[in-house]
Amino acid sequence: MTLTIDKVKELKEKPNPKQLGFGKYFTDHMFMMDYEREKGWFNPRIKPYEPLSLDPATMVFHYSQSVFEGLKAYRTEDDRVLLFRPEKNFERLNESNRRLSIPLVDNELILQYLKKLIEIEKEWIPKEEGTSLYIRPFIIPTDTNLRVAPANTYKLMIILSPVGSYYPEGIHPVSIYVEHEYTRAVKGGTGTAKTAGNYSAGYVAQEKAAQNGFAQVLWLDGMEKKYIEEVGSMNVFFRIDDEVVTPKLNGSILPGITRMSIIELLKSWGVPVKERLVSMEEIIEAYKNNRLKEAFGTGTAAVISPIGELNWHNEQYIINNKKTGELSKKLYETITSIQTGSMKDTFNWTEVVK
Ligand SMILES: *Cc1c(COP(=O)(O)O)cnc(C)c1O
Protein backbone atom coordinates (compact mmCIF):
# COMPACT_ATOMS: atom_id res chain seq x y z
CA MET A 1 0.00 0.00 0.00
CA THR A 2 1.42 3.36 -0.89
CA LEU A 3 0.93 6.31 1.35
CA THR A 4 -0.26 9.37 -0.55
CA ILE A 5 0.61 12.81 0.74
CA ASP A 6 -1.43 15.91 -0.02
CA LYS A 7 0.06 18.98 1.62
CA VAL A 8 -1.81 22.15 2.61
CA LYS A 9 -1.24 25.27 0.56
CA GLU A 10 -0.94 27.56 3.52
CA LEU A 11 0.34 26.64 6.97
CA LYS A 12 -1.62 27.74 10.05
CA GLU A 13 -0.18 30.18 12.52
CA LYS A 14 1.34 28.29 15.48
CA PRO A 15 -0.27 28.94 18.89
CA ASN A 16 1.53 30.62 21.77
CA PRO A 17 3.61 27.80 23.33
CA LYS A 18 2.85 29.16 26.81
CA GLN A 19 -0.91 28.84 26.36
CA LEU A 20 -1.34 25.48 24.72
CA GLY A 21 -3.58 23.75 27.25
CA PHE A 22 -4.67 20.27 26.22
CA GLY A 23 -6.21 19.27 22.90
CA LYS A 24 -7.19 22.77 21.79
CA TYR A 25 -4.95 23.23 18.74
CA PHE A 26 -4.40 20.88 15.85
CA THR A 27 -1.64 20.70 13.27
CA ASP A 28 -1.88 21.32 9.51
CA HIS A 29 -2.20 17.70 8.43
CA MET A 30 -3.86 14.48 9.52
CA PHE A 31 -3.64 10.82 8.62
CA MET A 32 -6.64 8.92 7.29
CA MET A 33 -7.28 5.38 6.07
CA ASP A 34 -10.49 3.57 5.08
CA TYR A 35 -11.91 0.11 5.58
CA GLU A 36 -14.46 -1.83 3.57
CA ARG A 37 -15.30 -5.51 4.17
CA GLU A 38 -14.26 -6.58 0.66
CA LYS A 39 -11.10 -4.50 0.52
CA GLY A 40 -9.75 -4.49 4.07
CA TRP A 41 -7.92 -1.33 5.14
CA PHE A 42 -6.94 0.80 2.15
CA ASN A 43 -6.03 4.25 0.88
CA PRO A 44 -3.60 5.43 3.59
CA ARG A 45 -3.15 9.16 3.18
CA ILE A 46 -1.76 12.27 4.80
CA LYS A 47 -4.03 15.17 3.98
CA PRO A 48 -4.89 18.66 5.20
CA TYR A 49 -6.54 18.73 8.66
CA GLU A 50 -10.17 19.60 7.98
CA PRO A 51 -13.75 18.89 9.11
CA LEU A 52 -15.47 15.68 8.03
CA SER A 53 -18.83 15.68 6.34
CA LEU A 54 -20.97 12.78 7.59
CA ASP A 55 -24.58 11.72 7.08
CA PRO A 56 -26.64 12.01 10.31
CA ALA A 57 -27.26 8.25 10.15
CA THR A 58 -23.55 7.47 10.21
CA MET A 59 -23.05 4.74 12.80
CA VAL A 60 -20.47 6.65 14.83
CA PHE A 61 -23.22 9.00 16.06
CA HIS A 62 -25.36 6.21 17.46
CA TYR A 63 -23.83 3.19 19.19
CA SER A 64 -20.35 4.23 20.18
CA GLN A 65 -18.45 1.57 18.23
CA SER A 66 -15.27 3.57 18.32
CA VAL A 67 -11.82 3.24 19.82
CA PHE A 68 -8.87 5.55 20.35
CA GLU A 69 -5.31 5.80 21.59
CA GLY A 70 -3.24 8.53 23.20
CA LEU A 71 0.54 8.95 23.08
CA LYS A 72 3.04 11.76 22.76
CA ALA A 73 6.02 12.88 20.68
CA TYR A 74 8.74 14.74 22.59
CA ARG A 75 11.38 17.10 21.29
CA THR A 76 14.83 16.48 22.74
CA GLU A 77 17.41 19.10 23.71
CA ASP A 78 19.35 18.32 20.51
CA ASP A 79 16.22 18.58 18.36
CA ARG A 80 15.45 14.93 17.80
CA VAL A 81 11.89 13.64 18.11
CA LEU A 82 11.13 10.71 20.41
CA LEU A 83 8.10 8.47 20.81
CA PHE A 84 7.63 6.49 24.03
CA ARG A 85 6.86 2.78 23.46
CA PRO A 86 4.54 3.59 20.52
CA GLU A 87 4.29 -0.04 19.44
CA LYS A 88 2.47 -0.72 22.72
CA ASN A 89 -0.19 1.83 21.83
CA PHE A 90 -0.86 0.25 18.45
CA GLU A 91 -0.94 -3.24 19.94
CA ARG A 92 -3.47 -1.95 22.45
CA LEU A 93 -5.47 -0.31 19.65
CA ASN A 94 -5.93 -3.78 18.19
CA GLU A 95 -6.96 -5.15 21.60
CA SER A 96 -9.61 -2.43 21.74
CA ASN A 97 -10.62 -3.25 18.16
CA ARG A 98 -11.08 -6.88 19.10
CA ARG A 99 -13.39 -5.95 21.98
CA LEU A 100 -15.48 -3.58 19.84
CA SER A 101 -15.74 -5.90 16.79
CA ILE A 102 -13.71 -3.48 14.69
CA PRO A 103 -11.40 -5.01 12.05
CA LEU A 104 -7.78 -5.20 13.20
CA VAL A 105 -5.19 -2.89 11.69
CA ASP A 106 -1.61 -3.62 10.63
CA ASN A 107 -0.23 -1.96 13.75
CA GLU A 108 3.40 -1.86 12.57
CA LEU A 109 2.42 -0.22 9.31
CA ILE A 110 0.26 2.41 11.07
CA LEU A 111 3.24 3.31 13.24
CA GLN A 112 5.30 3.91 10.09
CA TYR A 113 2.57 6.21 8.75
CA LEU A 114 2.44 8.04 12.07
CA LYS A 115 6.18 8.65 11.93
CA LYS A 116 5.82 10.11 8.45
CA LEU A 117 3.03 12.42 9.67
CA ILE A 118 5.14 13.59 12.61
CA GLU A 119 8.08 14.22 10.32
CA ILE A 120 5.89 16.53 8.24
CA GLU A 121 4.57 18.27 11.38
CA LYS A 122 7.87 18.46 13.24
CA GLU A 123 7.68 22.26 13.58
CA TRP A 124 4.50 21.80 15.64
CA ILE A 125 6.34 20.03 18.47
CA PRO A 126 6.76 22.75 21.10
CA LYS A 127 10.16 23.30 22.69
CA GLU A 128 9.21 24.56 26.17
CA GLU A 129 9.81 22.31 29.14
CA GLY A 130 6.97 19.90 29.80
CA THR A 131 5.30 20.43 26.43
CA SER A 132 4.82 17.78 23.77
CA LEU A 133 2.83 16.81 20.71
CA TYR A 134 -0.18 14.72 21.72
CA ILE A 135 -1.09 12.02 19.21
CA ARG A 136 -4.69 10.84 18.94
CA PRO A 137 -5.29 7.82 16.68
CA PHE A 138 -8.97 6.79 16.52
CA ILE A 139 -11.34 4.63 14.51
CA ILE A 140 -14.99 5.34 13.72
CA PRO A 141 -17.67 3.27 11.95
CA THR A 142 -18.96 5.05 8.85
CA ASP A 143 -21.90 3.00 7.49
CA THR A 144 -25.02 5.12 7.13
CA ASN A 145 -27.35 2.69 8.77
CA LEU A 146 -29.15 2.48 12.11
CA ARG A 147 -29.02 -1.28 12.53
CA VAL A 148 -27.44 -2.47 15.78
CA ALA A 149 -24.52 -4.52 14.46
CA PRO A 150 -20.84 -4.00 13.68
CA ALA A 151 -20.29 -1.66 10.73
CA ASN A 152 -18.88 -2.74 7.38
CA THR A 153 -16.95 0.47 6.76
CA TYR A 154 -14.59 2.43 9.03
CA LYS A 155 -12.13 5.27 9.04
CA LEU A 156 -8.91 5.33 11.01
CA MET A 157 -7.59 8.82 11.63
CA ILE A 158 -4.62 10.29 13.46
CA ILE A 159 -4.68 13.91 14.56
CA LEU A 160 -1.91 15.79 16.38
CA SER A 161 -2.19 18.48 19.04
CA PRO A 162 0.63 20.50 20.64
CA VAL A 163 -0.03 20.39 24.39
CA GLY A 164 1.23 22.37 27.36
CA SER A 165 2.90 21.12 30.47
CA TYR A 166 0.55 19.14 32.74
CA TYR A 167 2.24 20.81 35.70
CA PRO A 168 2.98 24.44 34.79
CA GLU A 169 3.54 25.12 38.51
CA GLY A 170 5.41 21.89 39.19
CA ILE A 171 4.14 18.42 40.12
CA HIS A 172 1.60 18.60 42.98
CA PRO A 173 -0.80 16.22 44.72
CA VAL A 174 -4.57 16.28 44.16
CA SER A 175 -7.63 15.38 46.26
CA ILE A 176 -9.59 12.34 45.19
CA TYR A 177 -13.17 11.29 45.89
CA VAL A 178 -13.67 7.55 46.34
CA GLU A 179 -16.79 6.84 44.27
CA HIS A 180 -19.16 4.30 45.80
CA GLU A 181 -22.31 4.85 43.75
CA TYR A 182 -21.34 4.82 40.07
CA THR A 183 -19.21 2.18 38.34
CA ARG A 184 -16.66 2.70 35.58
CA ALA A 185 -16.44 -0.86 34.33
CA VAL A 186 -17.15 -4.46 35.24
CA LYS A 187 -15.48 -7.71 34.32
CA GLY A 188 -16.81 -8.81 30.95
CA GLY A 189 -17.57 -5.20 29.99
CA THR A 190 -15.42 -2.80 28.02
CA GLY A 191 -13.16 -1.44 30.78
CA THR A 192 -10.00 -2.89 29.25
CA ALA A 193 -10.62 -1.14 25.92
CA LYS A 194 -10.04 2.51 25.07
CA THR A 195 -13.54 2.94 23.70
CA ALA A 196 -15.54 6.17 23.63
CA GLY A 197 -18.47 5.13 25.83
CA ASN A 198 -16.32 4.32 28.87
CA TYR A 199 -15.42 7.97 29.28
CA SER A 200 -18.80 9.67 28.98
CA ALA A 201 -20.19 7.05 31.38
CA GLY A 202 -17.84 8.42 34.04
CA TYR A 203 -18.71 12.11 33.60
CA VAL A 204 -21.56 12.15 36.11
CA ALA A 205 -19.27 10.92 38.89
CA GLN A 206 -16.49 13.25 37.75
CA GLU A 207 -18.86 16.23 37.88
CA LYS A 208 -20.13 15.28 41.33
CA ALA A 209 -16.54 15.04 42.57
CA ALA A 210 -15.62 18.37 40.97
CA GLN A 211 -18.61 20.11 42.59
CA ASN A 212 -17.28 18.98 45.94
CA GLY A 213 -13.78 20.22 45.22
CA PHE A 214 -12.13 16.98 44.15
CA ALA A 215 -9.86 16.70 41.14
CA GLN A 216 -10.91 13.17 40.23
CA VAL A 217 -12.70 10.03 41.38
CA LEU A 218 -11.21 6.77 42.52
CA TRP A 219 -13.14 3.91 40.93
CA LEU A 220 -13.96 0.76 42.86
CA ASP A 221 -14.92 -2.60 41.39
CA GLY A 222 -18.50 -2.78 40.14
CA MET A 223 -19.47 -5.99 41.93
CA GLU A 224 -18.66 -5.39 45.58
CA LYS A 225 -17.45 -1.76 45.60
CA LYS A 226 -14.58 -3.08 47.62
CA TYR A 227 -11.48 -3.30 45.43
CA ILE A 228 -9.64 -0.35 43.93
CA GLU A 229 -9.52 -0.17 40.13
CA GLU A 230 -8.40 3.19 38.70
CA VAL A 231 -8.30 6.89 39.43
CA GLY A 232 -10.04 9.07 36.82
CA SER A 233 -8.61 7.75 33.57
CA MET A 234 -5.35 6.72 35.16
CA ASN A 235 -4.02 3.57 36.77
CA VAL A 236 -3.25 3.78 40.46
CA PHE A 237 -0.36 2.81 42.76
CA PHE A 238 0.15 2.85 46.54
CA ARG A 239 3.34 2.67 48.54
CA ILE A 240 2.76 0.79 51.78
CA ASP A 241 5.94 0.89 53.85
CA ASP A 242 8.55 0.08 51.23
CA GLU A 243 6.41 -2.05 49.00
CA VAL A 244 4.42 -0.76 46.03
CA VAL A 245 1.05 -2.27 45.14
CA THR A 246 -1.22 -1.72 42.16
CA PRO A 247 -4.50 -3.40 41.23
CA LYS A 248 -3.88 -6.38 38.97
CA LEU A 249 -5.37 -6.38 35.47
CA ASN A 250 -8.52 -8.26 36.34
CA GLY A 251 -10.62 -7.68 33.24
CA SER A 252 -12.08 -4.26 34.02
CA ILE A 253 -8.90 -2.16 34.29
CA LEU A 254 -7.28 -0.43 31.33
CA PRO A 255 -3.74 -1.79 30.86
CA GLY A 256 -1.77 1.47 30.93
CA ILE A 257 1.60 1.72 29.21
CA THR A 258 2.79 4.12 31.91
CA ARG A 259 1.64 1.54 34.49
CA MET A 260 3.65 -1.18 32.73
CA SER A 261 6.71 1.07 32.53
CA ILE A 262 6.51 1.99 36.22
CA ILE A 263 6.33 -1.64 37.23
CA GLU A 264 9.40 -2.42 35.11
CA LEU A 265 11.25 0.59 36.44
CA LEU A 266 10.51 -0.25 40.09
CA LYS A 267 11.66 -3.83 39.54
CA SER A 268 14.90 -2.59 37.98
CA TRP A 269 15.48 -0.48 41.09
CA GLY A 270 14.87 -3.45 43.35
CA VAL A 271 11.70 -1.91 44.80
CA PRO A 272 9.20 -4.68 45.61
CA VAL A 273 6.07 -4.17 43.50
CA LYS A 274 2.97 -6.35 43.53
CA GLU A 275 0.04 -6.54 41.13
CA ARG A 276 -2.85 -7.92 43.15
CA LEU A 277 -6.30 -7.16 44.52
CA VAL A 278 -6.11 -3.98 46.61
CA SER A 279 -9.15 -3.26 48.79
CA MET A 280 -10.13 0.18 50.02
CA GLU A 281 -10.24 -1.27 53.54
CA GLU A 282 -6.64 -2.40 53.26
CA ILE A 283 -5.55 1.09 52.22
CA ILE A 284 -7.43 2.69 55.14
CA GLU A 285 -5.93 0.12 57.51
CA ALA A 286 -2.43 0.94 56.22
CA TYR A 287 -3.24 4.64 56.58
CA LYS A 288 -4.33 4.22 60.20
CA ASN A 289 -1.15 2.31 61.01
CA ASN A 290 0.93 5.03 59.41
CA ARG A 291 2.13 2.64 56.73
CA LEU A 292 0.55 4.36 53.70
CA LYS A 293 3.41 6.51 52.46
CA GLU A 294 2.42 7.53 48.93
CA ALA A 295 -0.35 7.16 46.37
CA PHE A 296 -0.34 8.22 42.74
CA GLY A 297 -2.14 7.85 39.43
CA THR A 298 -0.27 7.06 36.20
CA GLY A 299 -1.02 7.83 32.55
CA THR A 300 0.40 9.40 29.41
CA ALA A 301 -1.00 12.89 30.09
CA ALA A 302 0.43 13.48 33.58
CA VAL A 303 2.89 10.54 33.81
CA ILE A 304 2.54 10.63 37.62
CA SER A 305 -0.29 12.36 39.46
CA PRO A 306 0.33 12.24 43.22
CA ILE A 307 -2.71 11.77 45.45
CA GLY A 308 -2.65 14.06 48.49
CA GLU A 309 -6.06 13.20 49.89
CA LEU A 310 -8.67 10.47 49.66
CA ASN A 311 -12.25 11.07 50.68
CA TRP A 312 -14.21 7.91 51.46
CA HIS A 313 -17.69 7.93 53.01
CA ASN A 314 -17.10 11.51 54.15
CA GLU A 315 -13.87 10.70 55.96
CA GLN A 316 -10.77 12.57 54.92
CA TYR A 317 -7.43 10.77 54.63
CA ILE A 318 -4.43 13.03 54.05
CA ILE A 319 -1.48 11.26 52.46
CA ASN A 320 2.14 12.36 53.04
CA ASN A 321 0.99 15.79 54.29
CA LYS A 322 -0.31 16.53 50.79
CA LYS A 323 3.25 16.57 49.50
CA THR A 324 4.66 14.73 46.53
CA GLY A 325 6.36 11.58 47.82
CA GLU A 326 10.00 10.72 47.20
CA LEU A 327 9.26 7.69 45.06
CA SER A 328 6.59 9.54 43.04
CA LYS A 329 9.09 12.30 42.35
CA LYS A 330 11.84 9.90 41.34
CA LEU A 331 9.50 7.97 39.02
CA TYR A 332 8.24 11.19 37.45
CA GLU A 333 11.72 12.53 36.88
CA THR A 334 13.06 9.28 35.49
CA ILE A 335 10.23 8.65 33.05
CA THR A 336 10.03 12.24 31.79
CA SER A 337 13.84 12.32 31.40
CA ILE A 338 13.76 9.14 29.32
CA GLN A 339 10.86 10.49 27.25
CA THR A 340 12.65 13.74 26.47
CA GLY A 341 16.04 12.12 25.90
CA SER A 342 17.82 13.81 28.81
CA MET A 343 18.53 10.44 30.48
CA LYS A 344 20.02 7.38 28.83
CA ASP A 345 17.23 5.02 27.79
CA THR A 346 18.61 1.72 29.03
CA PHE A 347 15.20 0.06 28.52
CA ASN A 348 15.01 0.88 24.82
CA TRP A 349 11.62 2.45 25.35
CA THR A 350 12.03 5.42 23.03
CA GLU A 351 11.91 5.43 19.25
CA VAL A 352 13.42 8.17 17.17
CA VAL A 353 11.37 9.85 14.45
CA LYS A 354 13.60 11.11 11.69
C1 LIG B 1 -5.43 5.61 28.73
C2 LIG B 1 -5.87 5.19 30.08
C3 LIG B 1 -4.99 4.90 31.12
C4 LIG B 1 -3.51 5.15 31.04
O1 LIG B 1 -2.88 4.50 29.99
P1 LIG B 1 -1.45 5.00 29.48
O2 LIG B 1 -1.14 4.04 28.40
O3 LIG B 1 -0.52 4.92 30.62
O4 LIG B 1 -1.65 6.40 29.00
C5 LIG B 1 -5.51 4.41 32.31
N1 LIG B 1 -6.84 4.25 32.48
C6 LIG B 1 -7.73 4.54 31.51
C7 LIG B 1 -9.17 4.33 31.77
C8 LIG B 1 -7.28 5.03 30.28
O5 LIG B 1 -8.15 5.34 29.33
Side-chain angles (χ1 to χ4, degrees), residues 68-70 89 92 184 191 193-194 198-199 230-235 253-260 298-301:
F68 68 94
E69 267 304 325
N89 289 91
R92 189 172 63 190
R184 191 193 84 91
K194 269 186 129 66
N198 285 350
Y199 300 84
E230 299 203 44
V231 55
S233 48
M234 286 189 277
N235 297 113
I253 292 173
L254 195 290
I257 294 158
T258 318
R259 173 188 183 278
M260 177 196 299
T298 70
T300 297

Side-chain angles (χ1 to χ4, degrees), residues 33-276:
M33 194 171 185
D34 304 315
Y35 178 91
E36 289 175 12
R37 286 269 169 230
E38 319 75 61
K39 288 192 185 169
W41 287 102
F42 67 101
N43 196 11
R45 55 203 187 276
I46 289 172
K47 57 187 279 313
Y49 183 99
E50 63 187 4
L52 306 170
S53 170
L54 294 172
D55 188 287
T58 304
M59 277 184 162
V60 64
F61 300 127
H62 303 278
Y63 312 120
S64 202
Q65 191 200 11
S66 74
V67 295
F68 68 94
E69 267 304 325
L71 65 159
K72 286 172 167 181
Y74 309 84
R75 190 191 282 277
T76 67
E77 203 57 7
D78 59 351
D79 237 16
R80 289 174 307 139
V81 178
L82 298 180
L83 293 169
F84 185 74
R85 314 187 83 175
E87 72 288 352
K88 299 286 179 207
N89 289 91
F90 290 99
E91 283 166 18
R92 189 172 63 190
L93 180 67
N94 267 341
E95 291 306 315
S96 299
N97 282 341
R98 232 178 236 121
R99 182 62 184 82
L100 272 291
S101 299
I102 293 172
L104 304 192
V105 296
D106 181 338
N107 46 332
E108 286 171 25
L109 195 59
I110 306 292
L111 178 52
Q112 296 314 309
Y113 296 146
L114 168 64
K115 286 182 178 171
K116 186 73 205 168
L117 177 65
I118 294 172
E119 227 181 286
I120 292 172
E121 303 291 53
K122 185 174 172 189
E123 285 314 305
W124 280 91
I125 308 175
K127 296 184 167 70
E128 281 66 16
E129 193 184 331
T131 62
S132 57
L133 186 70
Y134 185 77
I135 302 162
R136 169 54 57 86
F138 63 109
I139 301 178
I140 60 166
T142 51
D143 297 20
T144 53
N145 195 315
L146 296 183
R147 91 203 136 78
V148 181
N152 291 312
T153 62
Y154 298 85
K155 277 189 196 302
L156 181 156
M157 289 171 266
I158 305 177
I159 55 176
L160 307 175
S161 173
V163 297
S165 171
Y166 196 89
Y167 296 111
E169 278 112 43
I171 183 167
H172 59 86
V174 294
S175 300
I176 299 292
Y177 181 79
V178 182
E179 176 57 50
H180 45 81
E181 183 184 354
Y182 298 106
T183 300
R184 191 193 84 91
V186 286
K187 219 170 280 187
T190 57
T192 58
K194 269 186 129 66
T195 181
N198 285 350
Y199 300 84
S200 47
Y203 288 169
V204 61
Q206 191 178 314
E207 273 190 308
K208 184 177 76 175
Q211 278 160 8
N212 291 297
F214 297 97
Q216 263 305 343
V217 299
L218 185 125
W219 295 107
L220 300 176
D221 79 276
M223 305 291 275
E224 302 178 75
K225 288 279 183 290
K226 186 172 169 190
Y227 298 103
I228 294 171
E229 301 230 316
E230 299 203 44
V231 55
S233 48
M234 286 189 277
N235 297 113
V236 66
F237 288 76
F238 300 89
R239 177 159 82 87
I240 300 174
D241 293 329
D242 286 318
E243 179 175 283
V244 176
V245 295
T246 188
K248 67 174 178 184
L249 303 176
N250 63 346
S252 51
I253 292 173
L254 195 290
I257 294 158
T258 318
R259 173 188 183 278
M260 177 196 299
S261 308
I262 281 172
I263 293 169
E264 291 172 33
L265 203 48
L266 289 171
K267 285 185 176 163
S268 80
W269 290 343
V271 177
V273 48
K274 292 233 167 64
E275 298 175 68
R276 57 167 172 81

Side-chain angles (χ1 to χ4, degrees), residues 287-299:
Y287 177 89
K288 288 183 176 157
N289 296 325
N290 228 354
R291 298 176 57 215
L292 179 64
K293 308 294 185 195
E294 298 181 47
F296 53 91
T298 70

